[in-house]
Amino acid sequence: MTDTLSIYIAQLNQTVGAIQANCEKIAEAYANAVADGADLVLTPELSVTGYPLEDLVLKPFFARASKHAIEGLAEITAGDDAPGLIVGAPWQDGEALRNASFLLEAGEIKEIRFKHELPNYGVFDEKRVFEEGPIPAPMEFRGHKLGVMICEDMWFSAVAEGLKARGAEILLVPTCSPFELDKHPERQEHALARVNETGLPLVFCNQICGQDELVFDGASYVIAADGTVPVQMVSWAEGELNTVWQKVDGKFTCETEFQAETPDRMASMYQAMMLGLRDYVNKNRFPGVVLGMSGGIDSALSAAVAVDALGADKVHCIMMPSKYTTGESVGDAEKCAQALGAIYDTIAIKEGVDAFDNMLGGVFAGTESDTTEENIQSRLRGLILMSVSNKFGKMVLTTGNKSEMSVGYATLYGDMCGGYNALKDVYKLDVFALSRWRNENVPAGALGPGGEVIPENIITKPPTAELREDQKDEDSLPPYEELDDMLRCLVDEEMSVADVIARGHDASEVARIEHLLYIAEYKRRQAPPGVKITRKNYGRDRRYPITNGFRSARYNN
C-alpha cells in the first residue's frame, strides 16, 4: 500500500460505434499517463464504445466486439508498475445487458462495476437498453478502495452512501453528461452533495464531443473533501491531467491545482454549436457544408459557426435572389461571406419561379397568389442547395432558429431541408446576441477570422423572409421580445396559457402561439437534427403527438 496515488484524468472525444478508433485514443492517453508517471487512468463513461449508444447496443455482436476490445486494452496494462486503467463499455451479465466500468490492471480485467441509476427522462432512455446493477462495492487498487459511480449514480445518494459504508476512500465518476445551459453548476451541486454526505473527495471525468443532437462539454473537475474545487479542467476541448493525491490518516487530499477558465453563457452556446456541427460533419465524413446565404441574420450566424467549426474552405455560401430580394440583402450576404472568407456564389431563382408559375398556371387558374407562391421560392432554393450537395458531396446546413421552428415559420422541403441545423435550439433574440458576441470575440479553437464577420446592417435591420413585397417577420409574428418569452414559457417551462398571460401577454396572442406551436409538430418531426442547448430541445427532449386536440386555453387553468 502506498500513501501517494496519481490519477490521470483523460477527457476524450469518442465516437459512437467506432470501437477501434476509441481504443486507440484510450491507448494514446494511457501512453501519456505512463510518461507522466501516473498510477491510474480514468476515462469517461462507455469510453470504449461511445455514448449514447441507443439501440446499437442491442445488437448482440456489438457487445461481443466491445468485450474483445476491453480484453485488448487490458493487455497494455501488463508489466511492472504499469498504471491501472478504468474504461467503460456495455457488458453482458448473464441475461442482463449493463452499463459497466472496468478496472484493467496487470494485463487483466481486475474489477467490473455496473451502473445502478439509469436515467430515463429528457434525452435519456437507458432503461430501454440497459438493466440496472446493484449498489456497487469499491474497487480494490493497490491497497486503496476506489468508489466508482457511473454518471447518474452521482446524482442520487444511494450509490455514494453504499460505497462509503463499504470502505470507499475516494469517489471516481466516469460520465457522459451532455451540455445544456446552466448544466455545469448543476453537476457540481450534485457532486458537492455526494462529497458532503460521504466526506470523500470526488473526481469527475466527462467526455467532450458532439453526437448527433447532443454535445458534451468536458469540464472535468476534482472536488476536495472540504468542498473546494482544486482542479477545473478545460471546457469544449479534449484535455488530460495527472492529479497527485496524498493519503494522510486514511483520507485523500489532492495536491494538484489547476483552474481552466469557465466560459460564460454566450461563449458556451457558441462553442456548443461549433462542436456539434464540427463533429457531425467530420465524423460522418462530409467534405464540408453548403448553405443558403440570404443576407439575413440566421444564415449569417450559421455561416460564421460553420467557418469557425470547419474552416472557410469547407463552407459554400449561395445567395439565391428572387424579384423580392433587395439589393441591400444581396450586398449584406456578399460582405458577410467575404468577411468570413467562405466560398460564395449567386444563383438567381427568377427563371425557376417563372417556370413553376407556368407549370402550375392551369391548376391554379382563378386563384389568388398566397403563401403557396411564397413557398415555391423557398422550395426552389432548397432544390438548388440539395443539387449542389448531391454534385459535390457537401452537406446542406439548415439555418432556421428555434423561434421560427416553434411556430412553423419555415417551409417544409424548402428552407427546412438539410442534414443539420446549428441554430435549431437557439431563440431569435439569442441569435442577435450571439452575432454581436461573435463580432467582438474569436472563440477558442475557432478556424474563422477575427473582427466584424457579421456586418452590422444584418444585425440591425428588421428580419424578413423576402418572399413577397415589403415583407417583415412581424407581419405574421409578435415582436421577438414577446414571442421568445411566450415560447420559453410554453416549451421550456411547459406553462399553461393562463400562466403565460399572467406574465403580461395578450390572451388571444398567447392562445394563437400555443396553437401554432402544436400544429407545427409535423414539420418539426421532419426537420434535421440540431444542437441541444436549452433545457428542452425539439427532438430527444420533447416528444409531442402530431395529432393533438388539446389546447390549454379551452380549460380552466
Side-chain angles (χ1 to χ4, degrees):
M1 175 177 180
T2 61
D3 291 327
T4 301
L5 181 68
S6 58
I7 301 173
Y8 193 88
I9 305 172
Q11 180 174 290
L12 304 176
N13 185 330
Q14 305 296 71
T15 301
V16 164
I19 294 175
Q20 181 177 345
N22 292 339
C23 288
E24 289 171 357
K25 269 189 173 270
I26 292 169
E28 182 180 348
Y30 185 84
N32 294 337
V34 170
D36 269 2
D39 297 310
L40 179 68
V41 181
L42 178 63
T43 67
E45 177 184 13
L46 294 180
S47 55
V48 170
T49 57
Y51 179 93
L53 289 169
E54 301 185 64
D55 286 2
L56 176 62
V57 75
L58 299 178
K59 186 181 287 292
F61 181 75
F62 186 81
R64 294 197 295 272
S66 65
K67 179 177 183 292
H68 179 71
I70 295 163
E71 293 168 344
L73 282 173
E75 294 176 4
I76 69 174
T77 68
D80 295 337
D81 298 323
L85 172 62
I86 294 178
V87 298
W91 189 258
Q92 195 69 48
D93 179 33
E95 295 297 315
L97 183 63
R98 303 194 195 276
N99 182 335
S101 277
F102 306 83
L103 173 60
L104 312 180
E105 185 187 12
E108 301 177 353
I109 301 175
K110 282 292 183 70
E111 302 263 16
I112 306 176
R113 297 293 183 269
F114 302 127
K115 189 173 184 176
H116 177 68
E117 304 283 359
L118 299 179
N120 208 54
Y121 55 87
V123 301
F124 305 105
D125 52 7
E126 288 194 34
K127 290 186 178 180
R128 174 184 171 86
V129 295
F130 291 123
E131 293 189 39
E132 71 176 36
I135 299 289
M139 291 182 175
E140 297 283 347
F141 177 70
R142 299 182 186 178
H144 306 296
K145 292 190 174 183
L146 312 177
V148 175
M149 307 191 296
I150 305 173
C151 196
E152 192 81 358
D153 289 346
M154 186 193 80
W155 291 66
F156 300 93
S157 299
V159 172
E161 291 177 349
L163 287 166
K164 171 67 173 178
R166 298 173 76 170
E169 299 167 310
I170 187 171
L171 301 175
L172 305 182
V173 185
T175 184
C176 287
S177 179
F179 167 80
E180 64 185 46
L181 287 172
D182 302 319
K183 186 70 168 288
H184 179 65
E186 184 180 7
R187 291 181 195 131
Q188 289 203 344
E189 179 181 334
H190 285 281
L192 182 59
R194 304 294 84 80
V195 169
N196 289 336
E197 289 164 1
T198 63
L200 301 178
L202 181 148
V203 182
F204 180 95
C205 179
N206 193 21
Q207 77 169 350
I208 163 72
C209 74
Q211 175 59 37
D212 299 342
E213 294 173 289
L214 302 181
V215 288
F216 300 83
D217 54 326
S220 303
Y221 54 80
V222 169
I223 297 184
D226 64 3
T228 59
V229 184
V231 171
Q232 176 60 68
M233 290 178 64
V234 66
S235 302
W236 304 113
E238 289 187 290
E240 298 176 16
L241 183 68
N242 195 21
T243 62
V244 178
W245 297 76
Q246 290 289 339
K247 186 192 286 187
V248 179
D249 297 329
K251 296 183 178 181
F252 273 112
T253 302
C254 182
E255 294 193 335
T256 304
E257 294 187 1
F258 181 86
Q259 294 295 324
E261 182 179 355
T262 300
D264 62 17
R265 184 177 187 272
M266 287 290 106
S268 292
M269 292 178 71
Y270 201 94
Q271 287 284 356
M273 292 189 293
M274 278 176 54
L275 178 61
L277 179 61
R278 178 191 297 128
D279 276 6
Y280 192 85
V281 170
N282 292 338
K283 291 181 179 183
N284 287 294
R285 298 180 177 85
F286 290 106
V289 298
V290 57
L291 69 150
M293 198 70 166
S294 68
I297 195 165
D298 294 327
S299 61
L301 180 59
S302 297
V305 171
V307 168
D308 286 335
L310 306 170
D313 60 323
K314 293 186 177 181
V315 179
H316 188 177
C317 302
I318 302 179
M319 158 54 86
M320 293 168 283
S322 72
K323 65 180 181 180
Y324 301 115
T325 305
T326 64
E328 178 185 41
S329 293
V330 172
D332 286 341
E334 185 172 6
K335 286 178 185 176
C336 185
Q338 288 176 344
L340 290 165
I343 303 163
Y344 182 76
D345 281 307
T346 299
I347 302 174
I349 66 169
K350 182 179 183 303
E351 291 182 7
V353 172
D354 290 344
F356 272 100
D357 287 344
N358 291 331
M359 291 164 60
L360 295 167
V363 176
F364 288 179
T367 65
E368 297 293 325
S369 179
D370 55 19
T371 55
T372 304
E373 284 75 16
E374 294 178 21
N375 289 339
I376 286 173
Q377 299 169 58
S378 179
R379 292 190 173 113
L380 180 54
R381 290 178 172 124
L383 176 62
I384 291 168
L385 292 174
M386 288 305 302
S387 299
V388 174
S389 173
N390 289 163
K391 181 63 71 176
F392 300 106
K394 290 183 176 178
M395 182 196 76
V396 176
L397 181 63
T398 314
T399 61
N401 62 71
K402 188 173 185 177
S403 305
E404 295 169 357
M405 290 300 302
S406 296
V407 295
Y409 198 71
T411 304
L412 201 58
Y413 321 122
D415 56 334
M416 285 178 63
C417 78
Y420 202 74
N421 183 356
L423 272 59
K424 185 176 180 178
D425 201 25
V426 180
Y427 287 111
K428 188 73 170 190
L429 291 181
D430 282 328
V431 171
F432 285 105
L434 285 163
S435 297
R436 291 197 178 281
W437 180 89
R438 179 57 183 89
N439 279 347
E440 298 168 359
N441 300 271
V442 179
L447 301 177
E452 186 181 88
V453 295
I454 300 176
E456 180 68 15
N457 192 56
I458 289 180
I459 300 174
T460 57
K461 68 184 180 183
T464 172
E466 291 191 325
L467 297 175
R468 63 176 184 267
E469 201 72 47
D470 297 323
Q471 184 182 25
K472 298 290 185 293
D473 286 7
E474 291 186 8
D475 296 342
S476 307
L477 300 172
Y480 283 110
E481 289 79 5
E482 298 176 21
L483 177 62
D484 283 4
D485 186 67
M486 285 188 269
L487 291 173
R488 288 181 195 276
C489 294
L490 293 168
V491 177
D492 298 8
E493 303 298 332
E494 296 286 8
M495 292 169 60
S496 70
V497 164
D499 289 337
V500 181
I501 292 169
R503 291 172 61 87
H505 295 291
D506 178 76
S508 61
E509 194 71 296
V510 176
R512 182 173 79 95
I513 295 304
E514 184 200 46
H515 177 68
L516 292 175
L517 174 67
Y518 286 157
I519 65 172
E521 191 64 41
Y522 83 101
K523 288 187 177 183
R524 290 190 292 272
R525 288 284 186 96
Q526 300 178 68
V531 186
K532 171 180 165 62
I533 289 175
T534 66
R535 180 184 305 176
K536 188 162 289 188
N537 74 326
Y538 290 125
R540 297 173 67 95
D541 262 330
R542 188 178 185 275
R543 308 177 193 186
Y544 265 60
I546 295 173
T547 306
N548 175 13
F550 179 78
R551 299 295 183 270
S552 61
R554 298 173 184 166
Y555 297 85
N556 182 7
N557 296 289

